[in-house]
Amino acid sequence: MKGYPRREFLLRALATCGTSLLVPIVPVGGARNQQSRTDAGRATQRAQTAADYFGGRTQAARAVGSAYLRQLGLDTSAASIQQATRATTTAIERASSQQKAIDALVAAVRRDFQEERSVQVEGWILSRTEAELCVLTLLPATN
């Protein structure tokens, strides 16, 4: 019997439960100067890495990300997303390639569960890294 990888199961289960219908997503605003363009480029890279982690299927992950931000008492602004995803963002930025970033995130999820760093979001138990990846999907990405 072939099992589903954890993220595949999570996305399918959330989609089945209709979680993706919970919250409309408001995209984060654009950049005005060189520094904000650089920040926007980093945000796009982070969002793309999160989307790649979920295999490009981010609708359910966005709903979970919104729910997690609400649980933390934050909104969907870029500053709130940055505040909620510091650890995961650091792992992404340290990687030398997209594939190495994904590999590092998979390892971080395993470590989270081994070290009991999990969060409950609307009844789902997620590693902290998975919850932060869901939040990162709220950033605009190039697809």
Side-chain angles (χ1 to χ4, degrees):
M1 177 175 173
K2 182 183 178 218
Y4 283 111
R6 178 175 168 72
R7 64 182 156 207
E8 175 79 16
F9 172 78
L10 176 67
L11 288 173
R12 286 179 185 254
L14 291 174
T16 301
C17 294
T19 304
S20 60
L21 303 174
L22 291 176
V23 179
I25 305 305
V26 178
V28 178
R32 291 194 180 147
N33 59 37
Q34 183 60 31
Q35 179 62 38
S36 60
R37 278 193 293 273
T38 302
D39 291 344
R42 286 186 188 135
T44 300
Q45 176 197 12
R46 294 171 193 153
Q48 189 62 52
T49 301
D52 289 351
Y53 177 86
F54 291 114
R57 295 167 297 193
T58 59
Q59 188 176 2
R62 288 178 183 182
V64 172
S66 292
Y68 185 55
L69 284 175
R70 281 193 314 275
Q71 185 172 307
L72 295 174
L74 300 171
D75 58 22
T76 57
S77 69
S80 292
I81 291 170
Q82 182 178 359
Q83 178 182 346
T85 62
R86 283 195 176 108
T88 300
T89 296
T90 300
I92 292 169
E93 290 177 352
R94 285 183 180 163
S96 59
S97 70
Q98 191 76 339
Q99 186 56 51
K100 288 185 181 188
I102 300 295
D103 293 344
L105 293 169
V106 168
V109 168
R110 277 196 195 106
R111 258 190 328 276
D112 284 351
F113 282 114
Q114 290 169 345
E115 297 172 8
E116 299 180 5
R117 284 190 310 252
S118 60
V119 295
Q120 183 174 358
V121 180
E122 295 189 359
W124 291 92
I125 303 296
L126 305 171
S127 82
R128 194 168 304 257
T129 301
E130 287 174 315
E132 290 183 12
L133 282 165
C134 289
V135 171
L136 285 174
T137 64
L138 299 172
L139 294 169
T142 57
N143 286 348

